[in-house]
Amino acid sequence: MSSRNERFKKYQKIREKNKTKPFVTGVMDQEEVNKLLDAGVDTQKMETMKYVTNLNYSLDANPAEVKALLKDLKKSFDKDRLEKLLNQTKKDILFSIAGPFGLGHVIAGYDKAGGNVDTIHNVREGTYATSQEQQAYESKGDYDSYEVHSDTKYKEVNKIHSEQQKSVGIKDVYSDNIINLKDKRNLDHVISGKQTHDDRGRVLAEIDTKDLANTDTNLKSTSEILNKSKGAKSPEEFATYLETSSSDRKDRIQALKNSPNPTEKENKELKKLLTLDSANPDEIRKEGIKAQEAQDIQINREYYFGTKFLKNSLGTSVTEGSKMGAQQAFGVLLVELFSSSFSEIKKAFNEGREGESLYNDIKIRLERIGSNLLDKWKDVIKGFSGGFISGFISNLITTIINMITTTGKRLVRMIREGIFSLLKALKLMLFPPENISFREATHEAMKLFAAGGVIITGVALEELVEKILLNIPFLAPFAPMATAVIVGSLTAVAMALVTYLIDKLDILGVIKIEQNKYILKSLDGNIQERLENCKNIVDEINTYLVPAN
C-alpha cells in the first residue's frame, strides 16, 4: 500500500512540474516527414497500440457496482474455504480410517477393562490388569487365626481392655451394656481376621493380615455371646442378621420369660437372646464403617505411595504413549501414502504414461510417492510426540479413574482419543503459531475440541455398528474392517460438518476478519495489476516518442 501511494505522489509531482514548462518540439526534417506521409499504414503496429483511455473518469462510486463486487468477492472467499474444507475432509476420512478407527482399532485390541494398572478398587471388584497380581491373590494361602490372635499388638490391646474391665468396667462396643469383672468379654475384630485376610486390596498392597487386622480401630471389646454370634460375619452381615431375626427372637424371649419352671438350658438361652436383643445394629454398622475406612487408608497409603504402583504407572504410561505415538505417526504416513497414490493414479489417467515403458512409469511414480513420504518426516515426528504425550497422560488419568470406578475397554479408548484432541487444542491456544492471533487460535481450538467429541461419539457407536454387521451373514467375516471404514468415514464427515458449523457461527468473529482480509487483498491485487498495466502502457508509448533536438 505504501509503495503505491509513493508512486502516486511521484506522478503528481511530475505532472505539477511539467504544467509550468512550455511545450517545445524540434522542427523535423522535411524529407523525413515526406517519407512518413508516403509510407503505408502499419496495421500490425497499430493493433498493438490500441489503447482506449477515457480521461473523463468519474471518481464517484456506484453503490450497486460496489455491492455486486463485494458479493462476488465474498462468494469467491466462501468457495475457497469450501474447497479447502473438502480437501481436508478427504484427508480426514483417510486419517480416521487409518488413525483412530484403523490403527486405533488394532491398538484398542490390547486395551483392558480397568486399564493397565491394578488399583485397589478394581481388584476388589475382581478385575485385574496383570496376571501376576491375580496369581498372587490366588496363592495367598488360608487364614491363620492363631497367628492373628497371638500377635503382640493383639495381646497388648487385650491386656489394656482387661485392666479397664477389672477396674471400672468397659462398654460393649455393640450395645449400651457395661462389661464388668464377672462378665465374659472378648476382644473382637470389627472387620474379622478372615475378611481382612481375604481382602484383595490387602494382598495387592502386600500387607500382612495380622498387621492390618490388629489395629486400635479394628480391635473392640464386646461380650463373648455377641462375639461368637458374629463370628466371621462382616459388620453389615451381623447387623442385618440381628434385624431380620429380631421378631422371632422377641417372641422366644417372651416365651422363655413366661415359662413357670425354666431349666438351666433355657436360662442360658434367655441370657443369650437378651444379649443379642440389646445389640444396636446401627452401632455395629457405624463401627464397621470406621474400621473399614481405617483399613482402606492404610492399604491405599501402602500401595499408592509405594514403588510398585509408581513403577507400574510410569511403565504402562510409556507403553501407552508409544502405542498412541505409533498410531499417529503411521497414520500420517498412511494418509500421505494414500493421497500420493490417488494423485498419481489421477495423473496417469489424465496425462498418460511418463516413462518409456509401463515398468519405468510405475518406477517413476513410486519414487515420487516415496519422496513425498520422506518429506513428511517432520509431521511424523510431531505426530509421534503428540501421540506419545497424550497416550502417557491418558493412561495416568485412566489409572486415577480406576481408583474410584472400573473403566470399560471402550471407555479407555475414549479417554485416550479425547485426551489427544484436548492436548492439541490446548497446545494451539497456549502456543499459537506466529502467523495467527490468540483469537484465531481459540477459534481453531474450538474445532479441535468439537472434533474430539465427534471421535469419542464415533468410538461409542463402533460397538453398535459392529453388532449390526455381525448379524449380516456375508459381512460378518469383515465386520471389524467394515466397521472401521464406515464409522471412520462417517466420523470424518461429521467433523467436517461441525467445522463448517463453527465457521458459520463465527462466535469470535474470526471468519469475518478473514473475509475482510481476503476482500482487501483481492482489491489491492486488482489495483496493483491495473497500475502495472498502466505503467507498461506508458513504457511502451515512450519507446515510440522521439526526443526533441
Side-chain angles (χ1 to χ4, degrees):
M1 182 68 75
S2 60
S3 61
R4 191 166 69 244
N5 290 337
E6 290 173 1
R7 285 199 301 272
F8 177 76
K9 291 178 180 178
K10 181 179 177 181
Y11 292 151
Q12 287 289 90
K13 287 181 180 179
I14 293 174
R15 288 178 60 190
E16 292 297 325
K17 183 178 179 181
N18 290 337
K19 278 183 181 179
T20 59
K21 291 183 178 182
F23 184 75
V24 180
T25 182
V27 178
M28 299 298 296
D29 185 10
Q30 188 60 41
E31 184 177 350
E32 294 294 330
V33 173
N34 291 335
K35 285 183 180 180
L36 177 63
L37 294 175
D38 295 337
V41 177
D42 188 347
T43 56
Q44 185 176 359
K45 177 64 70 176
M46 293 296 292
E47 286 293 330
T48 62
M49 298 181 65
K50 279 187 176 179
Y51 302 115
V52 179
T53 303
N54 183 8
L55 298 178
N56 297 321
Y57 195 83
S58 176
L59 297 178
D60 295 332
N62 187 330
E65 291 181 357
V66 172
K67 288 182 179 180
L69 177 60
L70 291 177
K71 185 177 180 180
D72 289 340
L73 289 174
K74 289 178 180 179
K75 283 184 177 179
S76 178
F77 172 77
D78 293 337
K79 183 179 179 181
D80 286 351
R81 287 194 65 84
L82 182 60
E83 187 69 26
K84 290 179 181 178
L85 179 62
L86 291 175
N87 289 332
Q88 185 60 43
T89 302
K90 294 176 185 177
K91 288 190 175 182
D92 286 342
I93 289 175
L94 290 173
F95 190 78
S96 294
I97 297 172
F101 296 96
L103 293 171
H105 195 77
V106 175
I107 291 174
Y110 297 94
D111 289 337
K112 302 173 183 177
N116 301 299
V117 181
D118 289 303
T119 62
I120 304 299
H121 174 272
N122 281 356
V123 298
R124 283 176 172 171
E125 295 293 321
T127 302
Y128 282 89
T130 61
S131 58
Q132 293 90 337
E133 293 299 338
Q134 187 170 8
Q135 181 62 35
Y137 177 77
E138 292 172 354
S139 59
K140 69 183 182 304
D142 297 329
Y143 170 61
D144 189 344
S145 177
Y146 175 78
E147 181 184 15
V148 171
H149 289 88
S150 61
D151 181 57
T152 304
K153 177 66 175 179
Y154 182 86
K155 291 180 178 180
E156 289 177 354
V157 174
N158 196 30
K159 182 179 180 181
I160 294 171
H161 286 206
S162 178
E163 291 174 353
Q164 185 177 348
Q165 178 188 1
K166 292 177 182 177
S167 58
V168 295
I170 188 169
K171 182 180 177 298
D172 190 322
V173 70
Y174 299 137
S175 70
D176 293 330
N177 299 331
I178 300 298
I179 304 173
N180 294 309
L181 178 61
K182 295 181 179 180
D183 299 323
K184 291 184 178 180
R185 176 193 63 84
N186 286 168
L187 186 61
D188 180 52
H189 291 96
V190 179
I191 306 296
S192 70
K194 179 69 166 59
Q195 184 180 348
T196 301
H197 181 74
D198 292 340
D199 187 352
R200 294 174 183 269
R202 176 199 67 79
V203 178
L204 181 64
E206 299 179 354
I207 303 175
D208 287 340
T209 302
K210 58 183 177 59
D211 294 334
L212 187 62
N214 295 329
T215 60
D216 291 333
T217 311
N218 198 48
L219 292 174
K220 301 293 181 178
S221 285
T222 186
S223 69
E224 185 176 83
I225 293 174
L226 289 178
N227 184 42
K228 288 184 176 180
S229 297
K230 178 173 177 286
K233 298 183 185 72
S234 68
E236 177 60 35
E237 289 171 342
F238 186 43
T240 301
Y241 162 74
L242 292 174
E243 289 173 339
T244 56
S245 60
S246 176
S247 179
D248 292 339
R249 187 170 54 252
K250 290 182 183 298
D251 290 342
R252 181 58 180 163
I253 290 173
Q254 191 61 42
L256 290 173
K257 284 183 176 180
N258 293 335
S259 177
N261 297 307
T263 64
E264 183 177 353
K265 182 180 179 181
E266 288 177 332
N267 286 332
K268 286 182 179 181
E269 182 185 1
L270 178 61
K271 181 179 179 182
K272 177 182 177 180
L273 293 175
L274 288 172
T275 303
L276 289 173
D277 203 48
S278 66
N280 187 339
D282 291 336
E283 282 298 318
I284 294 172
R285 289 190 177 94
K286 181 179 177 182
E287 290 297 326
I289 291 172
K290 286 168 56 178
Q292 188 62 62
E293 286 177 349
Q295 285 196 357
D296 289 344
I297 290 172
Q298 186 175 348
I299 290 172
N300 290 334
R301 183 174 61 245
E302 289 290 330
Y303 180 64
Y304 291 127
F305 292 93
T307 56
K308 182 171 75 171
F309 177 75
L310 179 62
K311 180 181 177 181
N312 290 340
S313 297
L314 294 179
T316 55
S317 294
V318 170
T319 302
E320 284 300 302
S322 300
K323 290 196 299 185
M324 188 66 175
Q327 171 186 317
Q328 297 304 316
F330 280 111
V332 171
L333 290 176
L334 286 174
V335 169
E336 183 60 31
L337 175 63
F338 293 148
S339 299
S340 299
S341 299
F342 294 155
S343 177
E344 292 299 330
I345 292 172
K346 184 178 179 181
K347 285 182 180 178
F349 275 102
N350 293 337
E351 302 173 9
R353 199 165 61 192
E354 291 188 18
E356 298 177 356
S357 64
L358 179 61
Y359 171 79
N360 289 332
D361 182 70
I362 294 174
K363 181 181 178 182
I364 291 171
R365 297 187 187 281
L366 289 177
E367 287 177 350
R368 194 151 51 218
I369 291 172
S371 177
N372 291 337
L373 289 176
L374 290 175
D375 290 340
K376 288 290 181 180
W377 66 271
K378 289 185 179 179
D379 293 334
V380 171
I381 292 175
K382 286 182 180 178
F384 181 86
S385 60
F388 180 87
I389 294 172
S390 64
F392 188 93
I393 295 176
S394 66
N395 186 72
L396 292 179
I397 292 176
T398 302
T399 302
I400 293 172
I401 293 174
N402 277 285
M403 292 180 184
I404 305 169
T405 184
T406 304
T407 58
K409 289 179 63 175
R410 207 164 294 275
L411 181 58
V412 172
R413 190 170 161 208
M414 289 180 184
I415 294 171
R416 183 168 61 239
E417 299 296 346
I419 291 296
F420 182 65
S421 297
L422 176 63
L423 289 179
K424 285 198 299 183
L426 290 177
K427 178 184 176 182
L428 185 59
M429 290 180 63
L430 298 176
F431 308 101
E434 294 181 358
N435 58 335
I436 67 172
S437 65
F438 178 76
R439 180 189 290 187
E440 292 171 324
T442 304
H443 180 81
E444 296 303 317
M446 289 169 61
K447 296 180 184 178
L448 291 174
F449 280 122
V454 172
I455 291 176
I456 291 173
T457 304
V459 173
L461 289 174
E462 256 192 340
E463 186 174 3
L464 176 62
V465 174
E466 189 167 347
K467 285 181 178 179
I468 294 173
L469 295 178
L470 286 172
N471 290 326
I472 303 174
F474 65 91
L475 287 179
F478 314 101
M481 184 186 301
T483 299
V485 173
I486 293 172
V487 178
S489 301
L490 291 175
T491 301
V493 172
M495 285 194 296
L497 291 175
V498 169
T499 300
Y500 181 77
L501 179 61
I502 292 175
D503 281 347
K504 277 296 180 183
L505 291 175
D506 195 19
I507 299 173
L508 301 177
V510 171
I511 304 302
K512 187 66 177 177
I513 293 173
E514 288 186 14
Q515 187 184 72
N516 292 338
K517 287 181 179 178
Y518 177 86
I519 293 174
L520 290 174
K521 185 178 179 180
S522 299
L523 293 174
D524 187 58
N526 196 349
I527 294 171
Q528 186 67 28
E529 183 181 352
R530 290 172 182 269
L531 286 173
E532 290 295 329
N533 192 28
C534 291
K535 184 177 180 300
N536 292 334
I537 292 173
V538 171
D539 291 341
E540 187 171 353
I541 291 175
N542 286 337
T543 60
Y544 297 104
L545 295 178
V546 181
N549 291 330

